[in-house]
Amino acid sequence: MLSVSDLVTHYGHSQALYGVSFSLTAGEVVTLLGRNGMGKTTTINSIMGIVPKTVGCVEFEGTDISSYPSYKVAKLGIGLVPEGRQIFPNLSAHENLIATAREDISQIWGAERIYDLFPELAARKNSMGNLLSGGEQQMLAIGRALMTNPKLMILDEATEGLAPLIRKTIWESLDRIRSDGLAILIIDKNLKDLMKLADRHHIVHKGQVVWTGTSQELERAADIRAKYLGL
Ligand SMILES: Nc1ncnc2c1ncn2[C@@H]1O[C@H](COP(=O)(O)OP(=O)(O)OP(=O)(O)O)[C@@H](O)[C@H]1O
Ligand SMILES: [Mg+2]
């Protein structure tokens, strides 16, 4: 479904990615793991067309999207839940949600379906974005991405800063979303939770993917976990 080959990305003169390659199959839940500053966010922002890549190829369902601007990538079916959530502070939760609704295709995910997924959010639908808790903002960010009817969802720091109970709600929602056939690419620091949810993992280290394997393989690879994740 997604094939990323030899991505090289710079910020000015500073090189952040040194040839990132990995792939994801339809229906799969895959992670990008790695310590701070190793290039996970840069990788997905390069895929999304948010950060311009220097060289490399990104294919989505057989289409070369390497030079697509972000709105076109989104339209093709990749939904992003960005690091920091980026909720509009002066719009209500409901307005935030419907802001990304599409008129060009029939909505598979409407607001009602999002509220069914997150009843906590339904109860806060009239609250302004800046008055929502971190957990509610993350539910909203996931809902907003779903409203674009993606085939692939990418979450950058899916549960960062959230309390354990809210984290559980987020993981359960992703489990429900995946059972609908969506592929998911997750960045998160809670390896234990990811081991349960994800099929495969990619470790990003110094701007490259240095290891790929299943949860069982990562479980057994104590040396890899220690070396690249400090766990
Ligand atoms: N806007 C930017 N301008 C310049 N350098 C940047 C910018 N964003 C990231 N970098 C640099 O690129 C490298 C990769 O950063 P990136 O944010 O992709 O890492 P990350 O793996 O997502 O880290 P974290 O786990 O902290 O989110 C780092 O050296 C970082 O300092
Ligand atoms: Mg990041």
Side-chain angles (χ1 to χ4, degrees), residues 35-42 44 83 156-157 160 187 189:
R35 288 202 176 98
N36 291 335
M38 290 299 162
K40 303 179 298 293
T41 297
T42 304
I44 59 166
E83 202 172 16
D156 193 355
E157 304 296 354
E160 191 178 33
I187 298 174
K189 304 244 151 53

